[in-house]
Amino acid sequence: MKWKKFIIETTTEAEDIIISALYDIGLEGAQIEDKIPLTEHEKAQMFVDIPPQEQEDDGIAYLSFFVEETEDGKLKRGEEETDTDVILREVEAELEAVRGFMDIGKGTITVDETQDRDWINNWKAYFHQFAIDDLLIVPSWEEVSEADRDKKVLHIDPGTAFGTGMHETTQLCIRQLRTYLTADTRLLDIGTGSGILSVVSLLYGIREAKGTDLDPCAAAAVKENMEANHIPEEKWELIIGNVITDQAVRDALGYGCYDIVAANILAEVLVPLTPVALSFLKPGGIYIMSGIIDEKETVVTEAVKAAGMEILSVTYQGEWVGVTARKV
């Protein structure tokens, strides 16, 4: 099997933002090459194949994304087949969007070809079970130890999902969700990805969860993670589509019927999403947002205020921000 390799030259400061932006168009599992030593925590968040570096950080980073190439030269992104030029145009558009609010350096894209590698199993060297407070996140190849039997256990594999819970933005959302979840909660998880926020909420006993995502590949990921955690099918539903632009998707979700709306998405999406999210909430409903880089905090909080919502809390982890608000 062959893979197309898309290599982006950027800055070390822009790494996380570009990875998040390209994740939204279906490019996952970034390989990062820079001169900043990686911690074990960082290794667990992404696929890394880098020899030890002892050189001084020069601020330059190379991000590589891999897309499977079919025998007829098409590229397979999830269930979709597309062309190299299409992905290039999408990547260029995302880079230009990021360039609009931060320095991304050269932002050049190089396309290369590489032979088959066991990408999923490479994750196993770095991804191990970890805890978010009393929630234990465990990959399928590891057993829960006796010492952790009292924890709530979430089963999820990074090789088959869009999110594992390791990233700061997901942890911000999970902690805020747990503050407001009840047995009667109806949750709407916008940009659900792997479904991790919905799965966690259902594990803690909410009534039901609905998710939306732009990428059809999310359907398989969410189903797999729901099954791995023994969540009954009648407790969840996924709708593929754009809630901001597609009236049919909004109608299918329903208005004024959710106790909590959660969105772990970049600030550039949260701003136009906020008035739409408001329409889904019951009076007094809670809106939980993350995916916000610290310099974009004010942009998001101002959008929330402009929609007429009350900000309840702003939380921080690393360079990321979570905002929780209430529909008044």
Side-chain angles (χ1 to χ4, degrees), residues 184-185 223 229 322 327:
D184 293 323
T185 295
K223 186 175 189 296
N229 291 280
K327 180 177 180 177

Side-chain angles (χ1 to χ4, degrees), residues 8-11 18 92 95-96 99 104-109:
I8 298 165
E9 181 178 340
T10 185
T11 65
I18 291 175
E92 287 168 352
L95 292 178
E96 282 306 304
R99 196 191 294 276
I104 66 168
K106 289 185 177 180
T108 54
I109 310 166

Side-chain angles (χ1 to χ4, degrees), residues 205-263:
I206 70 168
R207 179 180 169 188
E208 63 180 48
K210 284 190 180 181
T212 72
D213 204 280
L214 296 175
D215 192 338
C217 298
V222 172
K223 186 175 189 296
E224 182 174 323
N225 288 319
M226 290 291 179
E227 290 174 349
N229 291 280
H230 309 292
I231 303 295
E233 287 190 13
E234 63 270 19
K235 288 279 191 178
W236 64 275
E237 181 183 358
L238 175 65
I239 296 176
I240 299 298
N242 190 325
V243 297
I244 298 175
T245 61
D246 193 331
Q247 182 72 47
V249 172
R250 296 196 295 273
D251 291 345
L253 290 169
Y255 303 98
C257 56
Y258 296 95
D259 302 283
I260 299 176
V261 172

